[in-house]
Amino acid sequence: MSGNIDKKVVEGFGHEWSTFDQHDTLEQQRQIFEQYFSLFPFAEIGADAVGFDLGCGSGRWAYFVSEHVANLHLIDPSPAALEVARKNLMVRQNCEFHQASVDAIPLKDSSMDFGYSLGVLHHVPNTQQGIASCVSKLKVGAPFLLYLYYAFDNRPLWFKALWRVSDLGRRVISVLPQRPKLMVSQLIAAFIYWPLARFALIAERLGVNVEHLPLAAYRDETFYVMRTDALDRFGTRLERRFTRLAVQQMMEEAGLERIRFRDGTPYWCALGFRRPDVSGK
């Protein structure tokens, strides 16, 4: 594998998707899918489109995308994640699987009708290069959907301070062996995620604006989702965060235009189209 990869991070995600394979959460996952893909132009790319999922993990997004397209390439550097994805997508006949890192994508340049990478490229050493590698595989005018962790640039100072405290915890927890890492993350899900999310849900029903309450985004999610995301959040050694402006600049530099951001969570989720005047590299 090439240089734009952290092997410890790959191992961690392989363990995560083996532990939380998402196999019996289809309805919940469909609701989340509709949030992430609210900007995506399925009607525009057409049913005969061929594209890729960079960092497919368990295949939870590919399960739904594959309903709309002719062929979907699932790419992930983790053999454990790909094994889970193959199992979850056994009912799909239009998916191909590739074990590869982002700068060794085994697809021809300028060959894909669409692509997406959700929650992945903030976990590689060079996010800008990762975006450019993806864009290089797109045809001119093809859409690319991207989700990167946000830098809380739309949040109040106290929210950012609270995150900094939690990030200290992540730096400690993420270097633990897999079993204690899993155990601690599940305790966080039970005693922090669940209570705060349910508090936000109750507050919202009472007419309170919960936009800036911690973990309010999970108020309608299941405990399974919270458990998965607690491991994702606190179990990952390499994590980068970006402002909306930084995301737009990276997408433009990679060769994307007509960039649009989703209004509301998840932040930042953005769609762009490959420009005709760049190589994408």
Side-chain angles (χ1 to χ4, degrees):
M1 291 186 182
S2 52
N4 198 7
I5 188 172
D6 185 304
K7 293 183 179 180
K8 290 292 185 181
V9 171
V10 172
E11 289 175 11
F13 276 110
H15 180 263
E16 176 180 334
W17 298 125
S18 297
T19 304
F20 298 106
D21 61 13
Q22 317 293 312
H23 74 280
D24 58 355
T25 62
L26 282 181
E27 286 310 309
Q28 182 72 23
Q29 291 301 329
R30 185 179 290 278
Q31 294 176 21
I32 301 173
F33 165 81
E34 289 173 354
Q35 291 179 336
Y36 280 106
F37 282 81
S38 62
L39 295 173
F40 198 78
F42 282 110
E44 185 176 324
I45 64 172
D48 59 348
V50 178
F52 65 91
D53 177 336
L54 190 284
C56 67
S58 65
R60 54 181 174 167
W61 314 131
Y63 184 90
F64 303 109
V65 173
S66 58
E67 294 177 330
H68 300 276
V69 301
N71 188 249
L72 182 62
H73 296 272
L74 282 77
I75 304 161
D76 202 287
S78 168
L82 286 175
E83 182 178 346
V84 173
R86 284 191 181 96
K87 186 182 300 182
N88 285 339
L89 290 158
M90 287 180 63
V91 297
R92 300 286 189 251
Q93 303 301 314
N94 60 340
C95 294
E96 298 181 36
F97 302 87
H98 311 272
Q99 184 184 347
S101 60
V102 65
D103 49 357
I105 299 173
L107 303 171
K108 291 182 179 179
D109 288 353
S110 306
S111 65
M112 295 288 105
D113 298 308
F114 70 92
Y116 61 91
S117 182
L118 305 181
V120 176
L121 295 178
H122 45 237
H123 293 309
V124 300
N126 192 317
T127 301
Q128 176 69 74
Q129 287 183 6
I131 298 171
S133 295
C134 292
V135 172
S136 71
K137 304 305 174 183
L138 298 173
K139 296 177 181 177
V140 171
F144 182 68
L145 185 67
L146 176 69
Y147 166 60
L148 297 175
Y149 282 169
Y150 74 133
F152 309 105
D153 40 313
N154 61 344
R155 299 295 193 181
L157 289 176
W158 66 264
F159 195 105
K160 297 177 183 178
L162 190 61
W163 171 80
R164 290 192 182 95
V165 173
S166 73
D167 197 53
L168 292 176
R170 178 191 66 83
R171 293 173 186 271
V172 174
I173 296 166
S174 65
V175 298
L176 294 174
Q178 293 293 356
R179 183 167 294 183
K181 182 192 302 183
L182 175 62
M183 183 180 302
V184 173
S185 72
Q186 300 312 284
L187 290 173
I188 291 172
F191 294 104
I192 298 179
Y193 275 61
W194 177 268
L196 289 177
R198 289 302 172 259
F199 174 78
L201 178 62
I202 293 170
E204 183 179 53
R205 289 176 176 175
L206 292 174
V208 177
N209 182 353
V210 299
E211 173 68 18
H212 292 304
L213 289 182
L215 299 177
Y218 289 92
R219 61 191 180 277
D220 295 316
E221 307 292 3
T222 65
F223 187 47
Y224 188 91
V225 170
M226 296 181 204
R227 292 174 62 204
T228 304
D229 286 6
L231 178 57
D232 188 300
R233 171 69 182 87
F234 289 91
T236 307
R237 297 160 58 100
L238 175 59
E239 174 189 292
R240 300 179 185 279
R241 290 182 174 268
F242 303 92
T243 65
R244 175 171 175 157
L245 178 60
V247 174
Q248 173 140 0
Q249 289 174 338
M250 287 192 297
M251 293 177 75
E252 290 174 348
E253 185 173 337
L256 296 169
E257 62 180 1
R258 291 185 284 149
I259 296 166
R260 291 184 291 142
F261 284 80
R262 172 181 164 81
D263 293 325
T265 56
Y267 304 114
W268 296 113
C269 190
L271 177 74
F273 297 81
R274 180 172 172 179
R275 292 199 311 267
D277 60 335
V278 293
S279 67
K281 290 186 177 180

